Amino acid sequence: MTVKQDRDVDTLVDIEVPDPVDPRRRPPLPLILCLIAAVVFAGYSAVMHFGVHAQDQRIAHVRAGAAGEIGALTATILSYSPDTVEADVETAKSHLSGDFLTTFGDLSSREIVPKAKQDAVSAQWEVTGASLVSADEDSAAVLVLLHGTVTSLAAPEPEQLISSVRVRADRVGDSWSISGLEPL
């Protein structure tokens, strides 16, 4: 058995196969660089947007309540009665930190407690105004305006005082700790 093979070749067509490294078929280098730069810029922008936005949210939260909380805390640490002065000082010290805690502890044991007991000195302070001076996530500076009433055996008629202080505070968990108090 024979097989007959017919080959009809009427026309030969020249087909050009592109060279894989043909520069006409690749995207131009500047286009590739622009695409890479756009992707990098978009990623950087997204990270910065969400990172900065989150930090701004935390600082806004601090700003919202810091002045009032720190002001009230300031009035608390400055107030005491002769009958409860030791407990008042201990409560005050629990809201202090850093060098200010040491300074306040020395002042209270040397002057506040003995004078309060000996002369029946009472000091009651209330906040009349508080304004946030500066804040970041973990610290704040607040200007606190105070009205005080002081009485003693020597001056049983209440003495009315007005004071303003700059208070530095640090956030410890969900509460504030006063780290500095500067009378103005």
Side-chain angles (χ1 to χ4, degrees):
M1 179 156 140
T2 43
V3 177
K4 191 176 184 181
Q5 291 181 339
D6 276 341
R7 286 189 183 175
D8 274 324
V9 180
D10 289 334
T11 57
L12 289 176
V13 177
D14 236 357
I15 299 176
E16 190 176 313
V17 177
D19 188 10
V21 290
D22 185 5
R24 293 176 291 168
R25 302 289 183 195
R26 280 193 287 176
L29 184 60
L31 179 62
I32 292 172
L33 292 177
C34 284
L35 288 173
I36 291 172
V39 168
V40 168
F41 179 73
Y44 176 77
S45 295
V47 167
M48 290 305 294
H49 171 73
F50 292 112
V52 169
H53 181 68
Q55 182 179 10
D56 286 348
Q57 291 275 14
R58 289 188 297 268
I59 291 174
H61 179 70
V62 168
R63 289 181 184 272
E69 289 178 44
I70 293 169
L73 195 57
T74 303
T76 299
I77 67 166
L78 295 175
S79 297
Y80 58 89
S81 297
D83 300 336
T84 59
V85 66
E86 282 130 346
D88 295 338
V89 166
E90 287 306 311
T91 299
K93 287 167 57 175
S94 71
H95 298 293
L96 307 178
S97 63
D99 292 339
F100 185 62
L101 171 60
T102 305
T103 302
F104 183 85
D106 292 344
L107 177 68
S108 61
S109 64
R110 198 175 60 247
E111 292 189 27
I112 296 173
V113 172
K115 285 185 181 184
K117 286 183 170 187
Q118 181 180 10
D119 298 334
V121 176
S122 173
Q124 299 304 314
W125 292 91
E126 60 184 47
V127 177
T128 59
S131 178
L132 188 66
V133 176
S134 66
D136 61 30
E137 293 178 51
D138 298 322
S139 65
V142 177
L143 175 63
V144 181
L145 306 174
L146 298 160
H147 174 262
T149 304
V150 178
T151 59
S152 68
L153 285 176
E157 191 65 33
E159 182 180 356
Q160 303 297 316
L161 302 172
I162 296 174
S163 183
S164 59
V165 293
R166 180 188 318 248
V167 181
R168 287 185 314 279
D170 300 314
R171 186 173 282 302
V172 179
D174 290 334
S175 60
W176 290 99
S177 177
I178 293 178
S179 58
L181 187 99
E182 175 187 355
L184 300 174

